[in-house]
């Protein structure tokens, strides 16, 4: 077939998300480029890959299922090829494709990446922001070179390198009586209406924190956006629990909210770098790990604990 690896990725992303528009948004490319890839693929195969459903996205046809299955094998092989030759040259790619947990994009990634570029080379950054599940899918399909996320939920793709531990904290309206305290208990938080950062795996993690009380808070506001969580708390919808705080030059909190430590002993999640290189990491990945650790040591607020160990997910989640 005359399709490129990139075009195969476009078609697979449409199959993953069920919509050309959603694939365009997640890949940060035009819908016309995706439609062109689909048209070429269907022309090469001589059959339709997707059934178009107005206002309801697309559905993969039986012939399309066979195509997508074969395409994923090809993408996996291409990723393995890139991994295998990654250490043959000590060079930084001209375009560094990084995925990050969506809130990280506004909270620290640009400043950290600026530090990376200043220390290695002039490189173009392609940053894809998604949830914990999307990041693993993108990594497995070769859409990104590495991912920065939390070690929460099921990590089934690649090798993780722990960067730093980030304890949970409470986000409160400034007029809440608890805001006058130096720290709060989960049992006190559970009595307030809750604003939930409602992303795959993230929502489960946040609500599971309350299971030690056998009582979960009443969720009054759901959102996928970290910024909207802050705005909802400031607008009086309730309180929230978050892990990451604005770091360095990131936009600081307004006057309507305060952050307080949680007194309960809760296991802190870690920020991790996920890649497919195992122990044979190329130079650009090793440098990325070194610099993101240095960033959190130098710029991160108190309470962060920089890690040094590296483990394969099968050793952690078996």
């Amino acid at each position: 077939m005359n399709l490129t690896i990139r075009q195969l990725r476009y078609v697979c992303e449409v199959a993953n998300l069920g919509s050309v528009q959603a694939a365009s948004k997640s890949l940060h490319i035009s819908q016309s480029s995706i439609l062109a890839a689909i048209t070429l693929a269907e022309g090469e195969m001589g059959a339709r890959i997707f059934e178009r459903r107005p206002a309801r996205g697309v559905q993969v046809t039986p012939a399309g299922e066979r195509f997508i299955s074969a395409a994923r094998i090809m993408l996996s092989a291409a990723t393995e090829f890139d991994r295998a030759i990654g250490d043959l040259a000590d060079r930084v790619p001209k375009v560094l494709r990084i995925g990050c947990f969506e809130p990280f994009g506004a909270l620290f990634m640009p400043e950290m990446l600026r530090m990376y570029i200043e220390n290695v080379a002039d490189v173009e950054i392609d940053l894809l922001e998604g949830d914990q599940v999307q990041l693993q899918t993108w990594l497995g399909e070769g859409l990104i070179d590495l991912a920065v996320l939390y070690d929460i939920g099921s990590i089934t793709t690649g090798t993780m390198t722990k960067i730093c531990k980030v304890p949970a904290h409470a986000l409160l309206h400034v007029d809440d009586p608890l805001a006058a305290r130096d720290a709060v208990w989960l049992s006190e938080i559970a009595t307030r209406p809750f604003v939930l950062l409602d992303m795959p795996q993230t929502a489960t993690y946040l609500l599971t924190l309350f299971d030690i009380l056998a009582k979960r808070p009443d969720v009054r506001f759901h959102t996928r956006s970290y910024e909207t969580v802050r705005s909802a708390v400031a607008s009086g919808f309730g309180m929230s629990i978050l892990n990451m705080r604005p770091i360095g030059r990131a936009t600081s909190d307004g006057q309507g909210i305060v952050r307080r430590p949680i007194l309960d002993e809760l296991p802190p999640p870690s920020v991790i770098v996920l890649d497919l290189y195992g122990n044979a990491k190329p130079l650009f990945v090793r440098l990325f790990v070194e610099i993101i650790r240095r960033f959190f040591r130098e710029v991160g607020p108190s309470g962060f604990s920089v890690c040094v160990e590296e483990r394969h997910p099968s050793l952690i989640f078996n």
Side-chain angles (χ1 to χ4, degrees), residues 101 103 131-133 150 152-154 194-211 216-217 219 221-225 229 240-243 269:
F101 181 52
D131 60 47
Q132 299 272 132
V133 177
Y150 284 124
I152 62 174
S154 177
F194 198 75
V195 178
L196 179 64
L197 182 59
D198 198 352
M199 302 175 71
Q201 296 187 346
T202 304
T204 300
Y205 157 74
L206 290 171
L207 293 176
T208 300
L209 295 177
F210 292 92
D211 286 351
R216 292 187 175 186
V219 179
F221 197 109
H222 299 252
T223 176
R224 283 181 56 98
S225 166
V229 168
S240 188
I241 290 179
L242 297 171
N243 290 87

Side-chain angles (χ1 to χ4, degrees), residues 46-183:
R48 297 186 71 84
I49 297 174
F50 301 107
E51 291 293 345
R52 280 68 165 178
R53 301 177 300 172
R56 292 186 298 156
V58 299
Q59 183 174 6
V60 182
T61 66
E65 291 283 1
R66 295 194 297 273
F67 179 90
I68 297 299
S69 178
R72 285 171 175 157
I73 294 173
M74 178 66 77
L75 292 175
S76 178
T79 300
E80 179 61 21
F81 176 80
D82 290 341
R83 186 204 66 78
I85 68 170
D87 241 6
L88 295 181
D90 283 345
R91 58 182 175 82
V92 176
K94 292 182 180 179
V95 178
L96 188 58
R97 304 170 305 165
I98 300 173
C100 75
F101 181 52
E102 199 167 311
F104 294 173
L107 292 176
F108 70 84
M109 286 297 293
E111 188 170 355
M112 189 281 296
L113 289 168
R114 170 53 58 186
M115 180 183 291
Y116 181 82
I117 291 175
E118 290 173 349
N119 280 270
V120 291
D122 184 16
V123 59
E124 179 181 341
I125 299 296
D126 186 1
L127 185 65
L128 288 181
E129 300 163 73
D131 60 47
Q132 299 272 132
V133 177
Q134 287 175 317
L135 292 170
Q136 293 185 66
T137 299
W138 293 342
L139 185 65
E141 293 182 351
L143 289 170
I144 54 178
D145 299 308
L146 50 86
V148 183
L149 62 162
Y150 284 124
D151 63 343
I152 62 174
S154 177
I155 307 292
T156 59
T157 303
T159 302
M160 67 171 71
T161 303
K162 292 192 176 184
I163 302 302
C164 64
K165 296 179 180 179
V166 188
H169 63 273
L171 193 69
L172 299 153
H173 190 279
V174 67
D175 292 333
D176 190 305
L178 293 178
R181 304 263 296 277
D182 293 331

Side-chain angles (χ1 to χ4, degrees), residues 174-317:
V174 67
D175 292 333
D176 190 305
L178 293 178
R181 304 263 296 277
D182 293 331
V184 298
W185 293 96
L186 275 179
S187 57
E188 297 169 321
I189 297 171
T191 64
R192 269 54 175 179
F194 198 75
V195 178
L196 179 64
L197 182 59
D198 198 352
M199 302 175 71
Q201 296 187 346
T202 304
T204 300
Y205 157 74
L206 290 171
L207 293 176
T208 300
L209 295 177
F210 292 92
D211 286 351
I212 63 173
L213 305 174
K215 173 182 171 56
R216 292 187 175 186
D218 181 16
V219 179
R220 298 286 183 86
F221 197 109
H222 299 252
T223 176
R224 283 181 56 98
S225 166
Y226 183 101
E227 294 302 322
T228 304
V229 168
R230 293 203 293 186
S231 178
V233 172
S235 298
F237 277 96
M239 56 75 57
S240 188
I241 290 179
L242 297 171
N243 290 87
M244 191 63 65
R245 303 166 182 260
I247 301 173
R249 297 182 179 89
T251 304
S252 59
D253 295 330
Q255 297 181 350
I257 57 177
V258 296
R259 298 174 189 262
R260 293 292 181 262
I262 297 173
L263 291 167
D264 303 76
E265 292 187 11
L266 304 173
S270 293
V271 173
I272 63 171
V273 172
L274 198 62
D275 67 74
L276 296 178
Y277 297 96
N279 293 326
K281 298 190 193 311
L283 178 63
F284 78 92
V285 175
R286 299 197 303 269
L287 288 172
F288 186 90
V289 168
E290 176 185 335
I291 288 171
I292 192 172
R293 280 182 175 151
R294 181 172 12 131
F295 173 80
F296 278 104
R297 280 196 300 266
E298 296 177 358
V299 184
S302 60
F304 285 21
S305 175
V306 177
C307 308
V308 295
E309 70 268 32
E310 175 179 318
R311 298 176 183 170
H312 189 278
S314 63
L315 300 178
I316 299 175
F317 296 100

